[in-house]
Amino acid sequence: MIGKGQFTAASSALLSLAETEARLGDAKFLLSVGKLCEMVDLGDTEDDQNVDEPIAVYDELLDLVDVQQKLRQDLLEAIEGFDITRDVPVADVGSANLEVVAKASLIVERIASKLKATERKTSSMLLQKLVGNLIGDKRLTIEDTLDIIGLKDNNTLAANYGVALHLIYEAKSLSDVKRELAVQTLWRRIYLNDDWESLSDTGSYSDAQVAERLRSTALYTTLRDLYTGGLATMMDETTLSKLVRKPSESVDTPSMEELTGRFSNRGYYGEVGYEQYTRDDLALIKAELDREQSLLEGCTRILEERGLWEEISRLEESERPVIAQGDYSMASASRAESGDRSRQLLVERGNSLGIEMET
């Protein structure tokens, strides 16, 4: 089709193949070629909306694949004593399967110390299963990807909470209900990342030390990334603030029915082969999510009732780079002045996620 100049048909066929492709590398290739076909076909179109909508479909899927590839790379690099220069061979059974399980277990030990400290064993096991799929080169859903980012320790990998919010914003595949659940779950885990009882002790430290401790929190980091990252070039601060949830606004969790819909016909690398999630697995996940609600109550008391949330928010805002605050208007002006539509589309995608991808 491409050889015959049938770029619209080629783009549609490649998109269909990419949406069902289970391997990250193959999906990236199909999406990249498909997007190029779409851009060639739309090159002379003057209607911005007719151009933006089909390209946005590719950008959403490509961004998700980019994040998963970067996560996979960083997860493997977190392991010492393993040969991380070669791809993990993927097989549903046998020694390669056990190798994936062993690596996933070690990775979770290295990147999720907070889960261990709070005895969230089911979350650790879920994280291990999702990590196993990713290092085994299986393509993940956006919800799986958000779980990996949300459950790992803060700042252990390049793909951070700000990147997760960017993915949620882009995800047209999520219903409004699922999108809100995803936002609340992510913020809940942001708050659970830190010891707020200790951080609320300001009497034992100087003002400079208190400020430094607050800067080290996942909350400060996420606000900074949100208001100075890729999304800040796409919308104003008022719109950005709609992605923020305080602890008292982060309590909703998926129902058992919603979990069943998510994990139905899904599997993971287990010790005896590639296994399916059982009803018991889902019950444990649901119980763990309910426990997150209970743990959040303590965060709500300290952050909102004692005013620590507002203190961190003010600190981040006062230290926010001035140039970042103007990026939205400057980017908009730049896009309006651009006469080269195909180049403009490439620039807008660029690497708005703010993560360095290996070429």
Side-chain angles (χ1 to χ4, degrees), residues 10-306:
S11 174
S12 178
L14 288 166
L15 181 60
S16 296
L17 288 172
E19 288 177 328
T20 57
E21 175 55 53
R23 311 286 182 170
L24 277 174
D26 292 344
K28 177 71 171 287
F29 174 77
L30 292 169
L31 289 167
S32 298
V33 177
K35 180 180 177 181
L36 285 174
C37 290
E38 191 71 41
M39 291 176 67
V40 170
D41 186 60
L42 296 171
D44 297 328
T45 302
E46 296 182 359
D47 188 331
D48 285 357
Q49 184 173 358
N50 287 339
V51 173
D52 289 340
E53 289 181 0
I55 295 299
V57 173
Y58 280 102
D59 284 349
E60 175 187 341
L61 295 172
L62 280 166
D63 279 347
L64 184 57
V65 169
D66 279 350
V67 170
Q68 290 179 20
Q69 286 185 323
K70 180 58 177 172
L71 273 172
R72 183 177 186 273
Q73 173 190 326
D74 288 351
L75 290 168
L76 289 172
E77 289 180 354
I79 307 175
E80 295 178 3
F82 282 89
D83 178 9
I84 62 171
T85 61
R86 63 180 178 85
D87 288 338
V88 177
V90 178
D92 286 348
V93 295
S95 60
N97 188 77
L98 294 176
E99 183 180 3
V100 171
V101 174
K103 287 188 174 184
S105 178
L106 182 57
I107 287 170
V108 170
E109 286 183 20
R110 303 267 176 109
I111 69 165
S113 62
K114 297 294 175 64
L115 293 180
K116 184 176 181 180
T118 53
E119 298 183 343
R120 292 156 67 189
K121 295 180 181 179
T122 300
S123 292
S124 295
M125 289 304 300
L126 175 61
L127 181 59
Q128 181 177 320
K129 292 169 182 175
L130 298 176
V131 166
N133 279 349
L134 188 56
I135 65 172
D137 202 32
K138 294 235 182 235
R139 191 174 171 195
L140 305 182
T141 66
I142 183 173
E143 291 160 310
D144 292 345
T145 308
L146 294 172
D147 274 346
I148 292 180
I149 296 174
L151 291 172
K152 69 176 181 59
D153 292 340
N154 185 31
N155 290 335
T156 54
L157 303 173
N160 54 31
Y161 302 122
V163 169
L165 286 170
H166 193 136
L167 290 177
I168 294 171
Y169 170 77
E170 279 192 320
K172 305 297 187 296
S173 58
L174 291 177
S175 66
D176 290 343
V177 172
K178 287 185 177 180
R179 185 188 306 276
E180 180 58 26
L181 282 172
V183 172
Q184 291 196 33
T185 297
L186 183 68
W187 278 103
R188 184 167 60 250
R189 289 167 175 171
I190 289 168
Y191 296 125
L192 294 180
N193 194 84
D194 292 291
D195 182 352
W196 295 108
E197 195 65 53
S198 173
L199 288 164
S200 66
D201 175 16
T202 58
S204 304
Y205 303 91
S206 66
D207 289 347
Q209 289 173 322
V210 169
E212 187 58 34
R213 278 158 57 83
L214 296 183
R215 288 189 197 99
S216 71
T217 63
L219 171 57
Y220 179 96
T221 301
T222 305
L223 291 174
R224 181 201 61 196
D225 291 341
L226 177 63
Y227 288 110
T228 64
L231 284 177
T233 67
M234 301 164 63
M235 62 185 78
D236 58 28
E237 289 186 12
T238 300
T239 307
L240 285 171
S241 66
K242 294 178 181 179
L243 286 170
V244 178
R245 300 291 183 275
K246 291 185 177 182
S248 60
E249 301 168 331
S250 307
V251 297
D252 291 345
T253 61
S255 66
M256 192 65 178
E257 181 181 359
E258 288 166 329
L259 289 174
T260 301
R262 172 185 168 185
F263 289 101
S264 177
N265 300 318
R266 302 284 308 288
Y268 57 90
Y269 290 97
E271 294 182 0
V272 297
Y274 200 72
E275 305 176 21
Q276 299 292 313
Y277 286 94
T278 66
R279 186 75 179 176
D280 288 342
D281 290 333
L282 301 189
L284 289 172
I285 293 172
K286 174 59 178 169
E288 188 84 331
L289 289 168
D290 291 342
R291 185 171 176 234
E292 286 183 5
Q293 288 179 316
S294 299
L295 292 171
L296 187 66
E297 291 178 3
C299 302
T300 304
R301 185 182 69 255
I302 295 171
L303 282 163
E304 295 191 47
E305 295 178 15
R306 299 185 191 177

